[in-house]
Amino acid sequence: MKTRIREFRARKNLTQAELAILVGVRRETIVFLEKGTYNPSLRLAHHVAQALDAGIEDIFSFDDEVD
């Protein structure tokens, strides 16, 4: 999964720690989300999108590659 969290977070001038507090997760979770190494639950994806004033589809996208 690819994300644009870092881009949207920068637009709002938020640190990873600040976004984590808004969403209710640890900063490390935001790090893993930004790297694309953690697939969020739908609830978490929704909370991240809300915190960044964006739609889920604006923040998250699936890789085109098929394993």
Side-chain angles (χ1 to χ4, degrees):
M1 178 175 285
K2 295 182 182 181
T3 73
R4 296 174 61 201
I5 294 172
R6 183 175 293 148
E7 174 187 338
F8 278 80
R9 183 172 57 75
R11 289 181 189 176
K12 293 189 64 74
N13 201 28
L14 291 171
T15 66
Q16 290 173 334
E18 291 167 335
L19 178 57
I21 290 168
L22 289 173
V23 176
V25 297
R26 294 176 48 182
R27 184 189 63 81
E28 291 81 3
T29 303
I30 301 300
V31 170
F32 294 140
L33 286 170
E34 286 186 357
K35 289 181 179 180
T37 58
Y38 178 74
N39 289 332
S41 66
L42 183 56
R43 181 179 298 250
L44 177 55
H46 178 71
H47 288 306
V48 169
Q50 274 189 321
L52 296 174
D53 295 324
I56 292 174
E57 66 279 359
D58 297 325
I59 303 291
F60 299 96
S61 63
F62 290 100
D63 293 32
D64 293 328
E65 298 176 7
V66 177
D67 293 328

